[in-house]
């Protein structure tokens, strides 16, 4: 029998989480209001302008959705690993290497543009996956912390690609001070969905990835194994889940998704790889924030990413017309993330205590 749609049961299971996110958002906006008052501006008028120039006016809404695209995908990349218990902090490095590989393929591979585009995307995702798997191998072979290795690998990716776009692959025809590749061919660029903005099919790709992530989590064996590994590694091991295989596959998936985030930005907006592009825009870290705010749930990541992108786009607009600093948007999203992270941390601590008590009961029962 099919389960009937029950709004009451949905609220019972998710209501507390929704209320906490709304309270966190209110808390962040209140802190932002304090920053606005210190800047000698009216919080109500500033917030009205911020939301008008991020979500209400069509042009700015398109800009918000364009900026949200890589953030959504970075959030999914984070969730893919974190839900399985592997704290991947290297999404930025994986998107850097993956998008760089895709750019080089698009520039130098001969053939029909559509075929080149497909190969470039696949190559970029493969490189992103392999780069993420390095951290998994280091953990399995030498017990190196995934948190530390993935974080350090961000710097490796940025410095290596910086060398390549500064020397062998640098665009010599433009500004000599700019470290960047030449433009990718027009035939390999993503289709625009608006003639007045850079809004493109990358946003559609992000939606498809959200749908695919939900399907994988709920309908596939790998999704179940990955979820159970994150919930209780010991239970998963007793149930026959091969932890090392799940780790490799999970990190590969996270790296491939991260690469896709970079690819959508380059093939849909910038049309070339630029040095420090992803460290300056902080898409990976904003994606991490959206994933934490949404408790690693894909639909929540989609919504929170758009909200955070809107804060950034609106923040840029109000900076030009008031005394409010651009960092105000960062303050708001950081406060929201902090508030939600406290809840997540408490939940993880309680869950670990429950698991420990169960294991102690099992051990004491076995001894008796």
């Amino acid at each position: 029998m099919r389960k009937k749609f029950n709004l009451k049961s949905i609220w019972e299971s998710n209501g507390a989480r929704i209320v906490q996110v709304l309270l966190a958002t209110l808390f962040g906006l209140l802190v932002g209001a304090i920053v606005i008052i210190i800047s000698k501006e009216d919080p109500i008028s500033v917030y009205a302008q911020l939301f008008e120039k991020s979500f209400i006016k069509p042009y700015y809404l398109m800009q918000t959705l364009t900026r949200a695209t890589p953030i959504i995908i970075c959030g999914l990349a984070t969730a893919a690993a974190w839900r399985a218990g592997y704290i991947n902090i290297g999404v930025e490095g994986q998107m850097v290497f993956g998008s760089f590989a895709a750019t080089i393929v698009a520039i130098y591979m001969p053939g029909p543009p559509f075929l080149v585009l497909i190969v470039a995307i696949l190559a970029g995702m493969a490189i992103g996956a392999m780069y993420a798997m390095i951290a998994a191998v280091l953990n399995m072979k030498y017990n190196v912390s995934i948190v530390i290795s993935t974080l350090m690998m961000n710097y490796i990716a940025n410095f290596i690609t910086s060398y390549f776009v500064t020397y062998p692959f640098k665009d010599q025809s433009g500004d000599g001070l700019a470290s960047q590749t030449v433009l990718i061919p027009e035939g390999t660029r993503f289709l625009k969905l608006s003639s007045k903005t850079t809004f493109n099919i990358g946003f559609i790709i992000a939606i498809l990835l959200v749908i695919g992530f939900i399907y994988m989590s709920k309908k596939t064996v790998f999704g179940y194994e990955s979820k159970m590994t994150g919930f209780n590694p010991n239970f998963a091991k007793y149930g026959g889940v091969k932890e090392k295989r799940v780790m490799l596959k999970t990190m590969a998936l996270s790296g491939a998704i991260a690469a896709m985030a970079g690819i959508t930005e380059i093939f849909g907006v910038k049309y070339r790889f630029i040095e420090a592009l992803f460290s300056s825009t902080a898409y990976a870290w904003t994606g991490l924030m959206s994933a934490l705010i949404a408790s690693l749930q894909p639909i929540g990541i989609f919504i929170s990413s758009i909200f955070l992108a809107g804060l950034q786009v609106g923040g840029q607009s109000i900076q030009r017309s008031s005394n409010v600093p651009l960092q105000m948007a960062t303050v708001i999203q950081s406060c929201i993330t902090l508030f939600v992270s406290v809840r997540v941390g408490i939940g993880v601590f309680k869950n670990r205590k429950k698991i420990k008590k169960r294991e102690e009961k099992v051990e004491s029962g076995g001894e008796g």
Side-chain angles (χ1 to χ4, degrees):
M1 292 180 65
R2 290 184 178 179
K3 290 182 180 179
K4 292 182 179 180
F5 178 79
N6 191 329
L7 190 60
K8 185 179 178 182
S9 64
I10 292 174
W11 176 256
E12 286 175 353
S13 58
N14 297 290
R17 182 186 301 160
I18 293 170
V19 170
Q20 287 166 339
V21 170
L22 291 175
L23 287 173
T25 304
L26 179 62
F27 172 73
L29 292 174
L30 286 173
V31 174
I34 295 171
V35 175
I36 294 169
I37 292 170
I38 292 172
S39 303
K40 298 180 180 179
E41 296 283 349
D42 178 19
I44 296 175
S45 63
V46 168
Y47 276 140
Q49 185 181 353
L50 186 147
F51 286 105
E52 182 185 23
K53 293 188 175 181
S54 57
F55 299 111
I56 298 174
K57 288 189 174 181
Y59 172 82
Y60 292 105
L61 176 60
M62 296 290 185
Q63 293 294 92
T64 295
L65 296 180
T66 302
R67 189 172 186 84
T69 298
I71 297 174
I72 293 167
I73 303 175
C74 284
L76 293 176
T78 300
W82 285 45
R83 279 162 65 111
Y86 308 121
I87 310 302
N88 178 16
I89 309 292
V91 168
E92 181 181 297
Q94 293 144 25
M95 75 185 294
V96 166
F97 257 143
S99 59
F100 176 73
T103 304
I104 296 304
V105 170
I107 293 171
Y108 295 103
M109 178 181 168
F114 182 74
L115 177 62
V116 171
L117 175 61
I118 297 299
V119 174
I121 291 173
L122 293 176
M125 293 181 74
I127 293 297
M130 287 189 286
Y131 195 57
M133 287 171 69
I134 293 173
V137 172
L138 289 173
N139 179 264
M140 290 186 296
K141 295 288 186 182
Y142 307 106
N143 200 30
V144 177
S145 168
I146 289 178
V147 176
I148 295 173
S149 61
T150 52
L151 179 61
M152 293 299 101
M153 287 169 70
N154 288 333
Y155 297 99
I156 295 171
N158 278 310
F159 286 135
I160 290 177
T161 53
S162 174
Y163 166 77
F164 280 115
V165 296
T166 303
Y167 297 104
F169 296 116
K170 183 178 181 180
D171 179 13
Q172 302 293 342
S173 62
D175 182 3
L177 298 176
S179 295
Q180 58 191 20
T181 65
V182 297
L183 293 168
I184 61 174
E186 286 191 18
T188 61
R189 299 173 189 177
F190 283 177
L191 178 68
K192 280 190 176 184
L193 300 178
S194 169
S195 59
K196 296 181 180 179
T197 67
T198 54
F199 186 52
N200 60 83
I201 61 166
F203 187 71
I204 306 299
I205 293 172
I207 293 174
L208 293 175
L209 285 173
V210 170
I211 295 170
F213 192 94
I214 295 170
Y215 178 83
M216 179 211 69
S217 300
K218 295 182 179 293
K219 301 293 185 180
T220 66
V221 174
F222 169 68
Y224 172 78
E225 290 179 342
S226 181
K227 189 188 300 182
M228 292 312 301
T229 302
F231 178 70
N232 190 335
N234 292 328
F235 175 80
K237 191 180 293 184
Y238 291 140
V241 175
K242 296 180 179 179
E243 188 180 359
K244 290 183 179 180
R245 184 181 67 181
V246 171
M247 182 190 293
L248 283 170
K249 290 171 69 174
T250 300
M251 290 300 291
L253 175 65
S254 180
I257 296 173
M260 194 66 223
I263 290 169
T264 57
E265 179 69 5
I266 290 175
F267 285 69
V269 181
K270 301 299 183 184
Y271 305 137
R272 68 169 89 219
F273 187 93
I274 305 168
E275 181 187 18
L277 170 63
F278 299 118
S279 57
S280 61
T281 52
Y283 289 137
W285 299 108
T286 309
L288 173 58
M289 289 183 185
S290 74
L292 289 174
I293 291 169
S295 299
L296 308 180
Q297 300 300 318
I299 294 177
I301 289 171
F302 180 80
I303 296 169
S304 59
S305 295
I306 293 175
F307 178 72
L308 294 179
L311 287 179
Q312 294 174 1
V313 171
Q316 291 172 351
S317 299
I318 63 174
Q319 185 195 29
R320 293 190 289 267
S321 57
S322 68
N323 295 321
V324 179
L326 176 62
Q327 288 74 17
M328 186 269 293
T330 305
V331 169
I332 294 173
Q333 66 184 33
S334 298
C335 288
I336 295 171
T337 308
L338 177 63
F339 194 86
V340 173
S341 298
V342 170
R343 176 186 60 80
V344 172
I346 293 171
V348 170
F349 179 73
K350 287 181 178 179
N351 188 43
R352 285 183 176 178
K353 283 187 73 175
K354 286 180 182 178
I355 292 171
K356 190 174 181 180
K357 284 181 180 179
R358 288 173 189 168
E359 289 175 349
E360 286 175 353
K361 284 182 180 180
V362 172
E363 288 175 2
S364 61
E367 288 174 1

